Amino acid sequence: QVQLVESGGGSVQPGGSLRLSCAASGSILSFSVIGWYRQAPGKEREWVGTISPSGSTAYADSVKGRFTISRDNAKNTVYLQMNSLKPEDTAVYYCKVPSSGWGRGTQVTVSS
């Protein structure tokens, strides 16, 4: 089973930027869709965006134009570049492929 580990979270002021990383245990990026999700306290987990094996991406309306997903197949890593962060972006962020479970995620906090 593929294992994914998220990292790169932290605390940032509104308008700031962060880049999250999702490291895979093996070569999987060329064979599976990778999705980013987030969960805020007291709320259900929601979809943020997706990158396909072909490299095409899709994003939730709430982050479109601000977030960008990319990948480095040689490093087996997917990235989530988060710009113009808003307080409502505060959540634990997860990456996932259909064959994986949920990891620990990485905390993103946007506040003044």
Side-chain angles (χ1 to χ4, degrees):
Q1 183 178 4
V2 64
Q3 185 71 42
L4 304 177
V5 179
E6 305 92 343
S7 64
S11 182
V12 65
Q13 294 184 338
S17 298
L18 285 172
R19 189 177 77 159
L20 307 184
S21 297
C22 173
S25 60
S27 181
I28 189 67
L29 306 187
S30 296
F31 306 99
S32 181
V33 170
I34 296 91
W36 282 97
Y37 302 80
R38 66 186 182 185
Q39 187 169 26
K43 297 185 178 180
E44 294 185 350
R45 184 178 285 116
E46 65 176 342
W47 174 73
V48 173
T50 302
I51 187 166
S52 73
S54 68
S56 63
T57 56
Y59 304 93
D61 288 342
S62 59
V63 306
K64 193 174 299 181
R66 300 186 298 119
F67 291 11
T68 303
I69 301 173
S70 61
R71 68 183 184 187
D72 187 334
N73 290 343
K75 296 181 179 179
N76 295 318
T77 301
V78 174
Y79 304 97
L80 179 64
Q81 179 66 48
M82 310 164 68
N83 298 326
S84 302
L85 284 163
K86 305 175 181 179
E88 50 263 46
D89 295 319
T90 296
V92 177
Y93 284 72
Y94 304 86
C95 61
K96 191 181 187 301
V97 298
S99 60
S100 78
W102 297 103
R104 290 182 175 271
T106 184
Q107 176 71 49
V108 172
T109 302
V110 185
S111 66
S112 299

